[in-house]
Amino acid sequence: MTGWTVGTVVEVRAETPTGRSIVVDVPGWRGNIAGQHLDLRLTAPDGYQASRSYSIASVGPDARIQLAVDRFPDGEVSPYLVDEVRPGDQLEVRGPLGGWFVWRPDDPRAVQLIGGGSGVVPLVAMMRSHTAAKSDAPMRLLYSVRSPEDRFFADELERAASVTFVYTRTAPAGWPGEPGRLTRQTLAESALPPGGTTFVCGPTGFVEAVATLLVEIGHDPASVKTERFGGA
Amino acid sequence: MARLDGNVLAGPLSAHFVGDATTAIATCTGCLDTAPLARASVEITAAGFVAHCRGCDGVILIVRDAVALDLVGVEALRISTPRQ
Amino acid sequence: MSIFTRGFSGRRRDDNPALPPGQYLTEDFPVLSAGPTPDVRTIDWRFTLTTETGQRSWSWDEFMALPTEEVTTDIHCVTRWSKLGTSWRGVSLDTVFGGIQTDHDYVMQHSYGGYTTNTPLADLLDGKAWIAFEFDGEPLDPEHGGPARLIVPHLYFWKSAKWIRGLTTMPNDDPGFWEQNGYHIYGDPWKEQRYW
């Protein structure tokens, strides 16, 4: 599917104080594999266009696809998607896209997922794909956010096995240790050892810091796949 | 603005290639670093997406959606078309 | 044609008073050309001014002997990007037209490669236009119109012909390349004169 097509927003849901998930019905959507994204194009009344890429949280052949967006304060598109979009709105989309930052359910290798903020979206797709396929491959998620209410898909992830939350600013009551950035120690304690595949997704700064750490503790750079969301 | 990576090229390149081009392996003219396009360091400019080599930061390619594709820094490009 | 997106208006563009309506700021310098970049070497370069009474022509060396000016100005592209405070060096068209008599009120700009664009003569004189050969202190890049291009900053930048080869005065405001393809005959960014 290489052309633009029009989808209709069917549901919006607040996920965090600055983020929401959006379900879009896209006629003719032939499904996507976990990790793929779509491009979204907006057109202003004067013809001005802006387009951005968004990872797809859902997997499989369903024409109803789920996105999740975090609002960048100086953003041009994310404030519109988080504050303005409502069910019934039409959005131009192109996809599914991407063949590199993807996980296929027939992959037997151990997988470590590491996400920051809204970077968890393609990783949630991978977990959903893993569950649906009843895969035996070891899969873990390390999810870094500022505070508990900043987690996307919080309920789903709390119920899932093999998820470790890292809080960088405010931890819940009773949390062991102080809030802080993801460290070598957290990786050693909660992440799978080198040898499998690692997917890292989130803001550019987060991704580069984590990728550097992974290589420092012995991961083969070729086994670490990254997806940067821009921002800081 | 912070750089993105070559994953974001999938849409713009879809107008020029059949299938996903971000898994294509590109060799940089500047330093001969060889890597999938998904690993490139990408900036979004008014002229389109500018992909830089992760090794030497030289420009590998510039793509402006369906309008133009400039393989300015591509020494070689290896594309594998998967069997369906 | 794409659908319009309800409730979307894009980047706040009215924050900067230096930006004409509908424009947004860019820090880089996009290259948008109607065709391939012509390859013109200064040894072959010639610039010719043609009026109803005759012609005046310069080689590159002769052109470089003319008085030049440093110009710092804003430029506005019809595709909505604007670049503020760009710096150029060039020969004022007042110098080029110095002493020339013509009854014509309009000018067609001609580029190497065949591009044309039309402007009123009055919009090229009185310190409003230059033939520029340096950008940002460096010789003008071919992809940006080098070795020399016209700059007419108070109009949309398609009215500033790259790879300038000559100017021909004319009695009527005949349309050039983009003007024949739906673009505005005058092109004032402050009145958003982009298309017919």
Side-chain angles (χ1 to χ4, degrees):
Chain A
M1 201 169 165
T2 57
W4 293 93
T5 191
V6 178
T8 306
V9 176
V10 297
E11 185 192 304
V12 299
R13 188 175 69 204
E15 294 283 335
T16 76
T18 57
R20 56 154 56 153
S21 57
I22 303 171
V23 177
V24 186
D25 187 291
V26 186
W29 186 261
R30 279 189 298 232
N32 59 278
I33 49 178
Q36 286 190 304
H37 64 273
L38 52 71
D39 287 347
L40 202 131
R41 180 167 72 185
L42 308 178
T43 307
D46 64 359
Y48 172 79
Q49 291 188 321
S51 68
R52 298 290 187 275
S53 302
Y54 288 100
S55 292
I56 304 166
S58 49
V59 282
D62 201 343
R64 294 203 161 190
I65 59 178
Q66 186 183 44
L67 312 173
V69 181
D70 202 9
R71 193 207 307 117
F72 281 119
D74 291 328
E76 184 178 26
V77 170
S78 62
Y80 169 75
L81 293 175
V82 173
D83 299 336
E84 185 63 43
V85 155
R86 52 194 195 219
D89 281 342
Q90 295 197 304
L91 298 173
E92 274 195 299
V93 299
R94 171 170 65 183
L97 298 167
W100 191 75
F101 193 86
V102 293
W103 183 79
R104 293 181 171 83
D106 56 6
D107 190 338
R109 293 173 297 176
V111 181
Q112 178 65 48
L113 311 173
I114 305 178
S118 57
V120 81
V121 175
L123 310 180
V124 163
M126 292 177 185
M127 290 179 64
R128 291 175 180 177
S129 178
H130 183 271
T131 302
K134 297 187 174 59
S135 164
D136 287 326
M139 180 180 276
R140 290 195 205 170
L141 169 66
L142 208 51
Y143 186 18
S144 174
V145 284
R146 282 184 302 265
S147 65
E149 62 260 22
D150 291 312
R151 295 171 299 170
F152 281 83
F153 308 115
D155 293 338
E156 183 179 344
L157 294 178
E158 291 228 315
R159 287 194 307 264
S162 310
V163 176
T164 304
F165 297 107
V166 174
Y167 297 111
T168 63
R169 211 168 287 174
T170 318
W175 194 256
E178 291 299 306
R181 299 205 175 283
L182 193 150
T183 60
R184 206 186 282 238
Q185 184 181 357
T186 320
L187 284 178
E189 287 170 2
S190 307
L192 292 167
T197 315
T198 311
F199 290 92
V200 188
C201 184
T204 295
F206 172 83
V207 167
E208 296 188 343
V210 170
T212 303
L213 269 185
L214 290 167
V215 171
E216 279 176 7
I217 66 173
H219 286 260
D220 176 8
S223 73
V224 178
K225 289 191 169 182
T226 54
E227 182 153 90
R228 291 161 179 73
F229 275 12
Chain B
M1 64 159 285
R3 293 274 184 92
L4 302 177
D5 49 49
N7 291 301
V8 84
L9 300 174
L13 289 178
S14 71
H16 302 277
F17 293 92
V18 176
D20 174 59
T22 62
T23 52
I25 314 255
T27 301
C28 167
T29 303
C31 70
L32 298 183
D33 188 65
T34 298
L37 282 178
R39 287 197 187 270
S41 173
V42 175
E43 54 173 339
I44 304 180
T45 74
F49 293 85
V50 179
H52 295 258
C53 170
R54 211 162 268 298
C56 70
D57 209 46
V59 175
I60 302 178
L61 62 81
I62 305 170
V63 57
R64 228 178 104 220
D65 222 274
V67 176
L69 169 64
D70 189 346
L71 298 174
V72 55
V74 175
E75 184 69 21
L77 191 66
R78 194 167 87 236
I79 304 172
S80 311
T81 311
R83 271 183 236 101
Q84 284 306 111
Chain C
M1 177 65 210
S2 318
I3 58 160
F4 289 104
T5 312
R6 182 205 63 79
F8 175 70
S9 58
R11 205 172 286 287
R12 289 175 309 266
R13 296 186 288 267
D14 45 325
D15 284 342
N16 191 332
L19 289 181
Q23 297 294 104
Y24 62 99
L25 204 55
T26 187
E27 297 302 317
D28 49 40
F29 198 165
V31 175
L32 298 146
S33 302
T37 301
D39 181 20
V40 183
R41 296 173 308 155
T42 54
I43 197 166
D44 303 314
W45 188 90
R46 196 133 202 108
F47 172 77
T48 305
L49 174 58
T50 306
T51 70
E52 71 275 28
T53 55
Q55 264 190 358
R56 181 190 273 189
S57 186
W58 291 263
S59 68
W60 185 258
D61 290 339
E62 288 164 347
F63 202 74
M64 287 297 111
L66 295 173
T68 64
E69 293 174 13
E70 303 260 9
V71 183
T72 301
T73 186
D74 302 338
I75 60 183
H76 311 292
C77 180
V78 72
T79 63
R80 297 181 192 281
W81 62 264
S82 285
K83 199 164 165 62
L84 305 183
T86 59
S87 63
W88 308 80
R89 172 178 283 285
V91 176
S92 166
L93 284 202
D94 294 311
T95 303
V96 166
F97 272 94
I100 296 269
Q101 300 288 357
T102 176
D103 287 334
H104 291 164
D105 290 328
Y106 301 98
V107 172
M108 186 68 84
Q109 306 171 28
H110 294 270
S111 301
Y112 286 98
Y115 181 79
T116 54
T117 186
N118 56 302
T119 27
L121 178 57
D123 286 273
L124 299 181
L125 301 176
D126 298 320
K128 295 201 211 75
W130 296 262
I131 297 184
F133 51 87
E134 267 179 30
F135 173 74
D136 242 4
E138 299 288 325
L140 185 62
D141 219 278
E143 67 174 9
H144 286 302
R149 72 172 300 163
L150 213 67
I151 54 170
V152 191
H154 70 284
L155 301 176
Y156 279 121
F157 220 43
W158 93 74
K159 292 284 187 182
S160 298
K162 293 191 272 199
W163 316 294
I164 193 71
R165 182 167 59 83
L167 300 175
T168 306
T169 62
M170 44 189 193
N172 302 310
D173 201 9
D174 293 337
F177 177 81
W178 284 124
E179 295 81 6
Q180 291 172 45
N181 281 284
Y183 282 67
H184 200 279
I185 202 82
Y186 182 63
D188 181 347
W190 297 96
K191 299 195 178 117
E192 271 210 279
Q193 294 174 345
R194 298 177 199 270
Y195 315 111
W196 289 341

